[in-house]
């Protein structure tokens, strides 16, 4: 159910972007400092949104990869600790009482 609401939200956002772009169809000149480009505002808006999505995905992927690496290291440490715990033998309670 949660994925369905996410999909509906994404579709509404895309619809808003498309309608906004369609309403702004006039040609616009963009100055990049080293070059000027004249193209429809629709194209500039769509390209800007796509560039923003790509940047957001790249930042989130670096975080996800770092977290996966940390989880892998922690799992290795946990397995090593559990292996050590199994090898250490505890003395029975009766044996400690007899020694006193």
């Amino acid at each position: 159910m949660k994925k369905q609401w996410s999909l509906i939200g994404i579709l509404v956002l895309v619809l808003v972007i498309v309608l906004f772009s369609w309403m702004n169809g006039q040609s616009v000149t963009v100055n990049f400092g080293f070059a000027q480009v004249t193209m429809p505002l629709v194209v500039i808006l769509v390209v800007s949104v796509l560039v923003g999505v790509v940047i957001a995905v790249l930042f989130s992927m670096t975080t996800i990869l770092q977290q996966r690496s940390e989880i892998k290291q922690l799992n290795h440490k946990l397995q090593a600790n559990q292996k050590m715990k199994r090898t250490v033998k505890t003395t029975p309670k009766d044996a400690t009482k007899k020694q006193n």
Side-chain angles (χ1 to χ4, degrees):
M1 185 71 172
K2 189 175 182 180
K3 288 187 179 188
Q4 292 173 343
W5 284 110
S6 296
L7 181 63
I8 290 170
I10 290 170
L11 289 174
V12 168
L13 183 62
V14 168
L15 181 64
V16 168
I17 291 169
V18 168
L19 289 174
F20 181 74
S21 298
W22 191 337
M23 290 187 292
N24 295 295
Q26 64 272 17
S27 291
V28 177
T29 301
V30 179
N31 187 355
F32 290 107
F34 56 87
Q36 287 186 345
V37 178
T38 302
M39 59 179 63
L41 185 58
V42 173
V43 174
I44 293 173
L45 290 172
V46 170
V47 169
S48 298
V49 168
L50 291 177
V51 168
V53 167
V54 168
I55 290 171
V57 167
L58 287 176
F59 277 122
S60 66
M61 285 304 295
T62 56
T63 302
I64 289 170
L65 292 175
Q66 288 173 348
Q67 288 175 347
R68 282 184 182 173
S69 174
E70 185 177 350
I71 288 170
K72 195 174 188 179
Q73 290 174 354
L74 290 173
N75 279 334
H76 285 300
K77 286 181 182 180
L78 179 63
Q79 289 174 358
N81 285 341
Q82 288 175 345
K83 196 180 265 188
M84 281 182 80
K85 190 175 181 180
R86 285 188 215 125
T87 59
V88 174
K89 294 183 179 181
T90 58
T91 57
K93 292 181 182 179
D94 294 335
T96 57
K97 287 182 183 178
K98 288 181 184 179
Q99 290 176 352
N100 292 331

